[in-house]
Amino acid sequence: MSPLAKRLAAYLDLTVAERDAIVRLEARERRVGRGEVLAHAGDRADQFYVVRAGWLHSSAARPSGERQIFAFHFPGDLVSLSNAGWVDPAHTLTAVEDCIVSPFPKSQLGALFAQAPRLGGLFYALAAVDYVALCDRLLALGRLDGAGRVASLLLEISSRLRVAQPHFGERFHLPLTQIDIADCVGLTKVHVNRVLRELEERGLIAREGRLVGLSDRDALVEMTGFVDRYAVVATDWLAATAPRPPSLQAAIQ
Amino acid sequence: MSPLAKRLAAYLDLTVAERDAIVRLEARERRVGRGEVLAHAGDRADQFYVVRAGWLHSSAARPSGERQIFAFHFPGDLVSLSNAGWVDPAHTLTAVEDCIVSPFPKSQLGALFAQAPRLGGLFYALAAVDYVALCDRLLALGRLDGAGRVASLLLEISSRLRVAQPHFGERFHLPLTQIDIADCVGLTKVHVNRVLRELEERGLIAREGRLVGLSDRDALVEMTGFVDRYAVVATDWLAATAPRPPSLQAAIQ
DNA sequence: CGCCTGTTTGAGAAGACTCAAAACGGGTGG
DNA sequence: CCACCCGTTTTGAGTCTTCTCAAACAGGCG
């Protein structure tokens, strides 16, 4: 089953037409190797993406070279927010590990808004979730020390993985380098290393190669003020699927 | 004229039905005094808002008291992203100065997505703009020093004010306290004060009470890597409502 | 085996913070 | 009209987190 349809179905009871519209977004398939850049900030690119397998991240770099990672994209994610507003993408999209993505032209999302407006609203709600999660990270960068920043990133990733895998424990494979973590939470790789070590020594996390375990989730939540933004998404404000009033239907067509 | 309709009309040629749908969002009117809290994070509130006059900001606070300001909301802005995803708002909405807002129930936005899907797409694109602007601030917090952070905030505010007032110079009224600035860029109020002084001494900004002037915009852009995300918004990917000259479908310059 | 990327460790420097207190300014009440 | 008050801005001194520079170590791959 399509990973995007699966995720959306968890939030909303999809009609057949809606399900079809989603599946059409995933018609194509493209493999991307670890480290490969799918789209580069500033380059012309008229595509959105659905992630089918693997992690990607979106980032931007300053002329001087420092990089900031804004978001990680997991299977079932729609990657559109960083280039819906302009002709050229604002962020660079890079594969963290080997991935499969479905690119589709932007206009197809426009058509989906017209043909399945309730899905449009759902995408809006999911954009709001991403926005608020980013605000949480901003709060971490602005007001937490290194340990808190790293801890809140681990909690966030764990929460998002849990959405896709309900039977997910407190231990997971983290394909990020310490450099990636540093570029995401605004520290240097050297300091990230010290912080991870410190968290481990305090018994808050466990590490084994690239496996990470949240040994004391309560303490991590306590030190970061973490809120899970992904567990529940409200869709009650979306209009029912019912046909539109004929008057407006005419006006639109 | 409704400030929201005016702003959207700058991005898209609105049909009569679309314009009506927007105006309906602004049916009610509520005055909010300086410092007053419109909606508190966590409280039940089933409303979105259109800003008609004045500035507001959305923020969150940690149990320990530190606050982070995520966004400023100007006349013509739709304030919905911070609570579209949940029943309860994720952020606290506070008036920076005396304001007039139009609250409307969330379900009305759902209806708008159904009845004017092209506007739904436009709201999605504008959400993307807010998202990317927030990413820019995240980059500033993660990778710039105090002076760069404050400078990029001033540039961002100036860019957004320019959208509403095309004949806007490099000098503007900034109703924020240094505490507000500090809570937005993740510094202490003491350090913001020193940074503002330093920027002034270096001839990059000018201050006179709460009037701020960007004396050397080029240097500010150079030191921050600032990109104006608000000047142009691409709406070409939205489905057409009716046949229109192709020239208008392209990104509005 | 050597190379490259990523991780770990050390020592000193720098930016930002804390604490503290003084100066300022607009609004209020006497 | 003045004195007072509170929120805000400004200034100083000392401290601490994080950065920088540097180098050693580990592991996977050709």
Side-chain angles (χ1 to χ4, degrees):
Chain A
M1 182 177 173
S2 125
L4 179 59
K6 192 170 160 193
R7 179 163 173 223
L8 298 183
Y11 298 130
L12 212 57
D13 237 13
L14 300 177
T15 66
V16 174
E18 285 170 341
R19 188 175 298 267
D20 285 352
I22 295 165
V23 169
R24 273 199 297 279
L25 298 182
E26 299 180 76
R28 287 167 59 202
E29 191 172 299
R30 175 169 165 190
R31 277 164 200 285
V32 194
R34 182 182 121 80
E36 196 177 325
V37 172
L38 241 184
H40 198 278
D43 288 0
R44 185 97 350 169
D46 187 42
Q47 306 272 306
F48 294 138
Y49 303 90
V50 176
V51 183
R52 298 175 68 96
W55 296 22
L56 302 99
H57 66 64
S58 45
S59 69
R62 299 189 8 97
S64 45
E66 300 105 314
R67 186 179 63 156
Q68 178 72 43
I69 293 176
F70 302 118
F72 296 103
H73 306 287
F74 300 134
D77 280 358
L78 175 67
V79 182
S80 58
L81 222 43
S82 54
N83 59 342
W86 306 272
V87 173
D88 305 329
H91 298 157
T92 298
L93 193 58
T94 310
V96 171
E97 50 187 355
D98 290 347
C99 292
I100 304 173
V101 301
S102 292
F104 63 89
K106 288 184 182 179
S107 59
Q108 203 172 333
L109 190 67
L112 185 145
F113 270 79
Q115 288 154 19
R118 211 172 55 127
L119 283 184
L122 179 55
F123 284 147
Y124 192 81
L126 292 179
V129 172
D130 286 344
Y131 176 84
V132 171
L134 196 70
C135 286
D136 289 343
R137 173 133 5 99
L138 195 73
L139 174 61
L141 292 222
R143 296 297 178 219
L144 297 184
D145 64 8
R149 297 189 204 180
V150 171
S152 70
L153 178 63
L154 294 177
L155 286 167
E156 184 200 329
I157 289 174
S158 137
S159 285
R160 291 189 56 192
L161 292 176
R162 190 185 309 274
V163 171
Q165 311 163 37
H167 305 300
F168 169 88
E170 295 296 16
R171 201 179 181 71
F172 56 95
H173 174 72
L174 187 73
L176 306 176
T177 66
Q178 293 180 2
I179 298 174
D180 293 331
I181 296 173
D183 286 342
C184 185
V185 300
L187 298 171
T188 57
K189 61 180 197 246
V190 173
H191 202 64
V192 165
N193 182 277
R194 287 191 239 265
V195 161
L196 284 172
R197 179 152 306 280
E198 182 209 323
L199 289 174
E200 191 172 28
E201 269 161 21
R202 288 164 59 189
L204 301 178
I205 67 171
R207 291 186 300 161
E208 220 184 293
R210 292 221 163 140
L211 272 181
V212 175
L214 307 185
S215 319
D216 191 345
R217 174 174 258 269
D218 292 345
L220 292 171
V221 169
E222 163 71 20
M223 79 184 281
T224 58
F226 176 76
V227 178
D228 186 344
R229 304 293 185 182
Y230 294 92
V232 184
V233 174
T235 53
D236 54 301
W237 60 271
L238 303 180
T241 352
R244 311 185 196 108
S247 55
L248 283 162
Q249 185 91 39
I252 286 161
Q253 289 166 358
Chain B
M1 182 176 171
S2 122
L4 179 59
K6 192 170 158 192
R7 178 163 175 222
L8 299 183
Y11 298 131
L12 211 56
D13 234 15
L14 301 177
T15 66
V16 174
E18 285 170 342
R19 188 175 299 266
D20 284 352
I22 295 165
V23 169
R24 273 197 297 278
L25 299 182
E26 299 180 77
R28 287 167 58 201
E29 191 173 299
R30 174 168 166 192
R31 278 164 199 284
V32 195
R34 182 181 120 80
E36 195 177 327
V37 172
L38 241 183
H40 199 278
D43 288 1
R44 184 103 345 173
D46 186 41
Q47 306 273 306
F48 295 138
Y49 302 91
V50 176
V51 183
R52 299 176 65 95
W55 295 24
L56 303 99
H57 66 65
S58 45
S59 68
R62 298 186 12 94
S64 45
E66 300 105 315
R67 186 179 65 156
Q68 177 73 43
I69 293 176
F70 302 118
F72 296 104
H73 306 287
F74 300 135
D77 280 359
L78 175 67
V79 183
S80 57
L81 222 43
S82 54
N83 59 341
W86 306 274
V87 173
D88 304 329
H91 298 157
T92 298
L93 193 59
T94 312
V96 171
E97 50 187 355
D98 290 348
C99 291
I100 303 173
V101 302
S102 291
F104 62 90
K106 289 183 182 181
S107 59
Q108 204 173 332
L109 190 67
L112 185 146
F113 270 79
Q115 289 155 17
R118 210 172 55 127
L119 282 184
L122 179 55
F123 285 147
Y124 192 81
L126 292 178
V129 172
D130 285 345
Y131 176 84
V132 171
L134 195 71
C135 287
D136 289 342
R137 172 134 3 102
L138 195 73
L139 174 61
L141 291 222
R143 293 300 178 217
L144 297 185
D145 64 7
R149 295 188 204 181
V150 171
S152 71
L153 178 63
L154 294 177
L155 285 167
E156 184 199 329
I157 289 174
S158 138
S159 284
R160 290 188 59 191
L161 291 177
R162 193 187 306 276
V163 171
Q165 312 162 36
H167 305 299
F168 169 86
E170 294 297 16
R171 201 179 179 73
F172 56 95
H173 174 73
L174 188 74
L176 307 176
T177 67
Q178 294 180 2
I179 298 173
D180 293 330
I181 297 174
D183 285 343
C184 184
V185 299
L187 299 171
T188 57
K189 60 178 197 259
V190 173
H191 202 62
V192 165
N193 182 275
R194 287 191 238 266
V195 160
L196 284 173
R197 180 151 304 280
E198 182 208 323
L199 289 174
E200 191 173 27
E201 270 161 20
R202 287 165 59 189
L204 301 179
I205 67 170
R207 290 187 300 161
E208 221 185 294
R210 291 218 164 144
L211 272 181
V212 175
L214 308 185
S215 317
D216 191 346
R217 173 174 260 269
D218 292 344
L220 292 170
V221 169
E222 164 70 21
M223 77 184 282
T224 57
F226 176 76
V227 178
D228 186 343
R229 304 292 185 184
Y230 294 91
V232 185
V233 174
T235 54
D236 54 300
W237 60 271
L238 304 180
T241 314
R244 274 136 45 71
S247 58
L248 280 173
Q249 308 250 348
I252 291 165
Q253 288 296 330

